[in-house]
Amino acid sequence: MMHIDVSSVLRQTLSCELYSNLVTRPTGAAVRTQIEALLADSHERSLTVIDFSHVGMIDFSCADEVIAKLLLRYVAEERVEREAYFLFRGVTDDHWDAIETVLERHGLALVMETDDGARVVGIVNDGERVAWEKVYELGRTQPADLADALGSGPDHAARMLDGLHRRRLLMRLDGCYIAVGGLGEPHG
Amino acid sequence: MTSVITVPPSLDDHTFEQVVEQLAAVPRDGKLLVDARHTTWASPYGLTALLTLGQTLDERASFAVPETEKTASYWARTGFFKYADELYDLRGSVPKGRGGESSVLLEITPVIKSEDVHDVVGRIQQKAQQILSSELSIDAKATVGFAMTLSEICQNIVEHAGRGGWVAVQTYTWRRRLANRRVVVIAVCDAGQGFRQSLESAPSFVRNDRWDDAAALEAAVIRGVSRFRDPGRGQGIAGVRRYLSRWDGKLSVRSGTAKIAILPNWDDDVPLAEKLAPFPGAQIQVTIPERVSGGPR
């Protein structure tokens, strides 16, 4: 698992130790470019923690450049050559307004680490949210497991898992699905 | 012959229109004196707009500074004369002192490039938290939204104006409209290309019969239209509007010959003013009043 401290990337990008705020679109674009350069060295399947713990604040323009465009590139469309998954850490109320706004604008969702685990945030419908939470509880999940848990048909469960995988909210490994942030262990 | 533009005794976003109307009537190639001798008060908008006025002139004008020592001293503390000296030939007694003014949250600061926005946001944060919670009874959590608002408005200059502008932030007491409530005011003024010209530069731009400065402001401020094709653009002003609606704030944007305002209940300004005297660039003002009953709406 790769860990990217956004604050460190910001300071490297601006060549300045004084700034801890993610503001302005050019700054966001530069930070995202740096993150993408780090991701370029990763394997064909990678899970990266994007850590906001030391970021003071983020504005809308920067959130659009750093988060929305990163997700749009690696998550929103299926990329056969590389599967990149992201877990967002250290996101506080100070960051949330801007992040929520850009997720809504682009119809995106992401997995955010919380004090008691992980949760999916952004644009997901009720069915997707329930399915993701079931997979998070179950750990390694096959379509039949989810169908049992939801009381639904196996085809519906398979479609749900595939849809969440395409959005890179679930990882697929050896025919099983694992929630991003769940590490395959049951969280029931 | 020297033309004279008289600065009103009290200079804010409304009375600055008198300055613009006078400017429209003077010949562009003649000598000009901007006379602020009898001005006794100016809002951050008034001061930053006077600087943009200096930017727009073809020939360097003279500027007569306020005669009242208290006013001139205050303008000096806001940093006005430092930048005015680069744009005008200053006449009269210019105080030397700067600093020490507690109501000035952010003295007049030039915004030209992205790094300037970082600097502005970094400088405002700590003081804003203290002022917002102690003077305006606004939750400390609102400080982040305040800094975001400031950042997005300043970025309007960097992204769209095509030339530098100024930002200033100040708190003061509004006696007339808000019955002695405190307000915090952000003013960001530039003399760049303005909203209409910016939107006209979009590759997909199609002119229609009612396209003018007012239509451009409606498109950008109300509908979040941007000259960029990128679907993520236009979120900044939308975010600012959302923040201001939460804290009962006001946003007004003047550009070209029009001014649009997002109005809270306490303000009786017009939502859209058209056919104003022309003035280049964009002049933006955000006003957030003291809370009288606690949290956000």
Side-chain angles (χ1 to χ4, degrees), chain B residues 277-291:
Chain B
F279 193 68
Q283 296 79 44
I284 303 177
Q285 180 170 264
V286 163
T287 309
I288 303 171
E290 175 185 353
R291 295 299 286 176

Side-chain angles (χ1 to χ4, degrees), chain A residues 14 19 21 23-27 57-61 64-65 69 94 97-98 101-102 105-106, chain B residues 114-115 117-119 121 125 144 147-148 151-152 155 159 230-233 235-236 239 242 246:
Chain A
L14 294 176
Y19 299 135
N21 297 313
V23 294
T24 81
R25 198 168 278 279
T27 298
M57 60 159 281
I58 182 168
D59 69 14
F60 303 105
S61 302
D64 189 62
E65 287 292 335
K69 287 188 177 168
D94 289 351
D97 258 5
T101 299
V102 300
R105 176 88 168 207
H106 295 279
Chain B
S114 178
E115 286 77 5
V117 182
H118 277 272
D119 184 45
V121 170
Q125 270 181 313
V144 173
M148 281 163 60
S151 170
E152 296 292 350
Q155 283 180 70
E159 295 272 324
D230 182 345
R233 295 285 182 152
Q235 293 177 86
R242 197 163 45 248
R246 205 179 295 168

Side-chain angles (χ1 to χ4, degrees), chain B residues 186-207:
Chain B
I186 300 172
V188 176
C189 292
D190 71 76
Q193 63 178 345
F195 279 73
R196 182 170 58 81
Q197 202 178 326
S198 174
L199 292 178
E200 286 174 357
S201 69
S204 58
F205 173 74
V206 179
R207 189 184 301 272

